[in-house]
Amino acid sequence: MITVNNISKTYKVAKRNAGFLEACRNLFHRDYEEIRALDHVSFQINDGEMIGYIGPNGAGKSTTIKVLSGILTPDEGTCEVNGCIPWKNRVAYVKDIGVVFGQRSQLWWDVPVIDSFELLKDIYSIPKETYQMNLEELTELLNLSELLKTPARQLSLGQRMRCEIAASLLHSPRLLFLDEPTIGLDAVSKLAVRDFILRLNQTHRTTVILTTHDMQDIEALTNRILLIGKGRILLDGSPQDLRQGYRTMDEAVAALYREYAI
């Protein structure tokens, strides 16, 4: 279970105008602007839920995922995931989570994918029998047999994303964070990834938190939506609740963005 209470996070961002003189001035004096990425965010997620975490760019989605995965420490508030505080119990905690960032890779770029998997096996101290069983299952379900001997840099985006998802699941995590997992994928690859995520949840009861701008992914995969805007949770409901009165989910979400001025 995930319990988040009044989490806040503020970034300090350097700002300056264009031009050489401004660049010189910036060497001695910098102006900063505070960006409140999360503003007293609270929610609860039960084991086995499939959550769609949506909002416009800069709303706070990725910051929330980074806090929940232990990458960032919040300025205030509390968070407990499966009995652990993510940023305080990282060694024990990361064994129970998998994270896929669509625009970042956990695969080593110039070595075959199977070498990256072997290294992750050692990093997570996965028993040999468990690793072999998970590798065989993931290879079959994600159709990776032709990709394992290929360096990550030579894979297409869709092929790499399938390998990224497999890499995040080798250690049998109870919780999976998916941040834009289908970004840039073709229709066939998207359907394959969606089918796999659904099967994973149904077979292993893995809790999934999905952040994406693709509303088709949200409709296909999730049974609950959290809408975040300007660092605050604005709405918590089902996809059917959000879509009422609109032809498509995209229209419904666009209307919500206008309603909340985000």
Side-chain angles (χ1 to χ4, degrees), residues 28 32 50 53-54 74 89 107 138 160 168 181 218 229 245 249 261:
F28 304 98
Y32 291 93
M50 298 266 281
Y53 196 47
I54 66 172
N89 313 115
L107 303 173
L138 292 166
R160 183 173 65 79
S168 70
I218 294 294
M249 182 66 79

Side-chain angles (χ1 to χ4, degrees), residues 54-122:
I54 66 172
N57 293 325
K61 303 185 300 297
S62 293
T63 300
T64 306
I65 297 301
K66 289 174 182 177
V67 169
L68 289 176
S69 57
I71 297 172
L72 291 178
T73 300
D75 299 329
E76 57 182 299
T78 61
C79 172
E80 189 172 297
V81 184
N82 297 331
C84 293
I85 298 174
W87 55 91
K88 289 185 178 180
N89 313 115
R90 288 205 66 189
V91 175
Y93 174 65
V94 295
K95 293 182 179 180
D96 271 344
I97 69 169
V99 184
V100 177
F101 289 108
Q103 301 184 58
R104 296 175 181 85
S105 180
Q106 61 187 317
L107 303 173
W108 277 257
W109 204 237
D110 292 310
V111 302
V113 170
I114 190 63
D115 285 354
S116 293
F117 286 2
E118 291 285 342
L119 186 54
L120 289 168
K121 166 182 170 290
D122 293 334

Side-chain angles (χ1 to χ4, degrees), residues 141-197:
L141 294 177
L142 288 169
N143 194 22
L144 304 180
S145 56
E146 300 298 321
L147 308 180
L148 294 179
K149 297 180 181 179
T150 306
R153 62 181 172 81
Q154 294 180 350
L155 300 175
S156 70
L157 181 57
Q159 291 171 333
R160 183 173 65 79
M161 286 311 305
R162 281 186 279 144
C163 293
E164 294 280 358
I165 291 172
S168 70
L169 294 170
L170 286 170
H171 57 294
S172 306
R174 296 164 57 192
L175 172 61
L176 180 62
F177 297 104
L178 299 173
D179 189 9
E180 299 282 1
T182 62
I183 187 170
L185 300 192
D186 59 57
V188 174
S189 297
K190 277 190 179 184
L191 290 175
V193 169
R194 286 176 191 164
D195 288 344
F196 173 76
I197 295 169

Side-chain angles (χ1 to χ4, degrees), residues 208-227:
V208 178
I209 299 178
L210 169 68
T211 69
T212 182
H213 294 294
D214 190 329
M215 292 302 110
Q216 291 182 337
D217 284 349
I218 294 294
E219 284 192 289
L221 294 173
T222 66
N223 46 34
R224 178 183 167 199
I225 291 176
L226 294 172
L227 171 66

Side-chain angles (χ1 to χ4, degrees), residues 1-16:
M1 176 180 286
I2 300 172
T3 303
V4 175
N5 287 315
N6 292 315
I7 289 290
S8 295
K9 182 67 179 178
T10 301
Y11 297 109
K12 194 158 71 168
V13 180
K15 298 283 186 178
R16 74 167 177 86

